[in-house]
Amino acid sequence: MIADFHFLRPLWLLALLAAPLLVVLIGRRTDVRAQWQGMIAPHLLDHLLIEKGGKHWFHPVHLTAALIAVAAIAAAGPTWQREKPPFVEDTAPLAIAIDLTETMNATDISPTRLERAKLKVQDILSMRKGARTALFAYAGSAHMVLPLTDDANLTKTYLAALSPGIMPVTGRDTGKALQLVEAALSSETVPGTILFMTDGVERTAFDAFAGYQGRNDLMVLGIGTADGGPVKTADGQFLTDATGARVRAKLDVDALKALQSASKAEVATVTPDDADVRWIVRRIQTSFAQKTADGLTRWYDAGWWLTIPVALMAALWFRRGWSVRWAVFVLAIGTVLSGGKAEAADNSFADLWFTPDQQGLRAVQRGDFQAAADDFTDPAWQGIALYRIGRFQDAIDAFAQADTAESYYNQGNALMHLDKAEEAIAAYQQALKRRADWPEAKQNLAVAEKRKADKDKLEQDAQQEQAGIDPDEVQFDEKGKKGKEGTVPGGAQTADMWMRNIQVSPAELLARKFAIEAKDTKP
């Protein structure tokens, strides 16, 4: 701690020179002997001056000099330890990539490997309440199921929809999954963890793991047993080979050990209890704490503690007795008139010493973002607090009060949470107009454009299916201009109601989304 001690604003230490200078100047000004010694002979001056009874070594000027010295040290910002800045995530983001190859339906782990993996994910979500988690699925292709979200119920909904049947490409490409997940986490301000839940990693993917240079930690949880088990098909039957014998899928433990030796990935196998889940969560927290301490902290400004002695010394400037007495009396009257409640008294006391924005910042440091949203008067800070408690529309309204690049960027992020990709695109574009070289805004703009394109494609396919037209089929209406022009009652409202009546399960939605993405990525 002594080695780390320094000042954040050392130039303020120059104010220390004013303290002794003030003592010298005031001392000369009040020294009667020094003022008259040039005009009156010394042997006469001794008889003309009347010395006060008893000399006091401590005078008001000394108090003033001490106050200046302490205030200068406080303003210089003494520090010796680090802290996390406000609005930095308290927990690491976690991206879970689930293997959806056919062998994940093996029954050597009850009920199947895939279903056990889903249960493990639910346990992880329960142990990381409030933390953000992203969900990915991969087989021969890799796809994002959900971006980072702290909505555990939403994650569980789409988790339940995962099955090998929704994957458009068979096989297993773990390297491609790693590349996709890393790209999705690249815009995060804090490092996270990438967790693969799989019954095997092909050796062709070892190079991708060994050459990984990202800042996120890699973890692999092997699902299965070395003895293996029969594999169920989508219709509940068991997969058989050409001879009619049941196919048994075994967990390649040696390959997992080789992967751990060849890369920095932490590898473990599933356990019947929650030991594996606790191991995963503990590793995530430990790694995040270490990385946060290394690069995502700032020096803690301890200078504000010196405001206490400054206030006490300033209080001595009151006249003896009545000033302090009346100040206490007025404070007591104000507390009574405010309703007498302890909470009101606390708020009144805080209002005496802290601005609303300072009180909001204190609430953020306590993790109470609801109180921070109520305290902040600065629109940007209030918007961030509202964003953190999930009030995205209110956050947008707060951000919109400023015409800055940061304002539009934050509006875009909130709009993406509301699934308003088109409006988010416009917000990101406005942010880039004001700061053209902002990489995070460019990345988020690309994500918003991709989400809008996927959504438009899904809506188009749904309309074509309703009309009985294959998505890749082109048909011409030979009855054009032969019908009678008419109107549909309700107009846009009827169309909106029609779209809402389309019932698509999460599994069907994911299957369509994955199929479109796989088609777009074909060479």
Side-chain angles (χ1 to χ4, degrees), residues 60-94:
V61 66
H62 298 123
L63 176 64
T64 304
L67 192 149
I68 292 175
V70 176
I73 296 174
T79 182
W80 57 89
Q81 60 185 352
R82 304 186 72 91
E83 66 169 352
K84 285 192 301 182
F87 305 125
V88 170
E89 295 289 343
D90 294 330
T91 52
L94 171 64

Side-chain angles (χ1 to χ4, degrees), residues 149-170:
T149 177
D150 56 5
D151 190 340
N153 291 329
L154 179 64
T155 303
K156 292 177 182 179
T157 298
Y158 281 89
L159 177 67
L162 298 183
S163 68
I166 68 174
M167 300 304 295
V169 182
T170 58

Side-chain angles (χ1 to χ4, degrees), residues 94 96 115-129 193 195 197 219-223 268-286:
L94 171 64
I96 303 177
E115 294 304 319
R116 179 63 64 88
K118 292 179 181 180
L119 293 175
K120 295 295 182 182
V121 173
Q122 293 183 21
D123 292 340
I124 293 173
L125 294 175
S126 299
M127 295 185 67
R128 283 171 38 89
K129 291 182 179 179
T193 299
L195 171 64
M197 306 187 78
M219 301 181 71
V220 178
L221 182 64
I223 310 292
T269 54
V270 67
T271 61
D273 55 9
D274 64 346
D276 48 0
V277 174
R278 287 187 282 106
W279 173 78
I280 291 171
V281 174
R282 185 170 59 251
R283 287 300 180 99
I284 293 173
Q285 294 174 341
T286 302

Side-chain angles (χ1 to χ4, degrees), residues 160-499:
L162 298 183
S163 68
I166 68 174
M167 300 304 295
V169 182
T170 58
R172 179 186 287 131
D173 194 338
T174 311
K176 183 181 293 184
L178 174 59
Q179 183 180 4
L180 174 65
V181 179
E182 175 63 22
L185 296 182
S186 61
S187 61
E188 289 299 307
T189 58
V190 294
T193 299
I194 302 174
L195 171 64
F196 287 86
M197 306 187 78
T198 177
D199 60 359
V201 178
E202 67 279 16
R203 293 184 180 269
T204 55
F206 281 19
D207 291 340
F209 279 81
Y212 177 74
Q213 299 295 328
R215 58 177 181 165
N216 302 299
D217 287 334
L218 300 181
M219 301 181 71
V220 178
L221 182 64
I223 310 292
T225 62
D227 295 334
V231 180
K232 279 189 175 182
T233 60
D235 57 0
Q237 303 298 317
F238 287 99
L239 187 65
T240 58
D241 57 17
T243 63
R246 291 182 178 179
V247 175
R248 295 183 65 87
K250 297 182 179 181
L251 177 65
D252 193 346
V253 179
D254 293 335
L256 293 178
K257 292 180 179 179
L259 174 65
Q260 185 168 14
S261 301
S263 66
K264 297 180 180 179
E266 297 283 346
V267 180
T269 54
V270 67
T271 61
D273 55 9
D274 64 346
D276 48 0
V277 174
R278 287 187 282 106
W279 173 78
I280 291 171
V281 174
R282 185 170 59 251
R283 287 300 180 99
I284 293 173
Q285 294 174 341
T286 302
S287 176
F288 177 72
Q290 292 174 348
K291 291 183 177 180
T292 301
D294 293 339
L296 289 176
T297 57
R298 66 180 184 182
W299 288 104
Y300 172 71
D301 189 349
W304 74 273
W305 285 101
L306 295 177
T307 60
I308 298 175
V310 168
L312 293 176
M313 286 187 288
L316 296 177
W317 282 102
F318 290 104
R319 288 184 177 273
R320 184 170 53 189
W322 67 270
S323 295
V324 175
R325 213 167 36 241
W326 277 103
V328 174
F329 178 75
V330 171
L331 180 61
I333 292 297
T335 303
V336 173
L337 294 178
S338 64
K341 294 183 179 180
E343 182 179 356
D346 292 341
N347 292 339
S348 299
F349 181 78
D351 292 339
L352 291 175
W353 306 102
F354 301 102
T355 66
D357 288 334
Q358 289 173 333
Q359 295 181 47
L361 185 58
R362 287 165 58 86
V364 168
Q365 294 171 345
R366 297 194 307 268
D368 189 356
F369 292 99
Q370 179 62 57
D374 296 334
D375 290 334
F376 278 134
T377 58
D378 183 274
W381 290 359
Q382 185 182 49
I384 293 174
L386 291 168
Y387 182 93
R388 291 295 299 271
I389 61 177
R391 293 169 55 183
F392 300 115
Q393 186 57 56
D394 293 335
I396 294 171
D397 296 338
F399 290 136
Q401 297 181 42
D403 186 18
T404 62
E406 291 76 9
S407 171
Y408 285 106
Y409 176 79
N410 291 331
Q411 289 181 59
N413 293 343
L415 287 166
M416 287 294 288
H417 278 282
L418 296 176
D419 198 20
K420 297 180 179 180
E422 186 172 359
E423 297 179 28
I425 292 172
Y428 290 134
Q429 290 174 343
Q430 289 295 328
L432 290 171
K433 285 182 180 180
R434 289 156 178 79
R435 191 193 299 181
D437 57 344
W438 195 351
E440 288 81 3
K442 292 180 180 179
Q443 293 172 357
N444 287 8
L445 175 60
V447 172
E449 291 175 340
K450 182 68 166 59
R451 183 176 296 184
K452 181 179 182 300
D454 292 344
K455 187 176 181 180
D456 292 343
K457 181 66 175 176
L458 290 174
E459 291 178 355
Q460 181 181 358
D461 291 347
Q463 292 175 1
Q464 290 176 342
E465 289 182 8
Q466 288 290 324
I469 302 175
D470 186 85
D472 297 324
E473 181 181 359
V474 178
Q475 293 189 2
F476 297 94
D477 183 9
E478 298 182 358
K479 297 182 180 181
K481 299 183 181 181
K482 295 183 180 180
K484 294 183 179 180
E485 183 178 359
T487 59
V488 179
Q493 181 179 3
T494 303
D496 180 65
M497 292 175 61
W498 176 80
M499 287 297 297

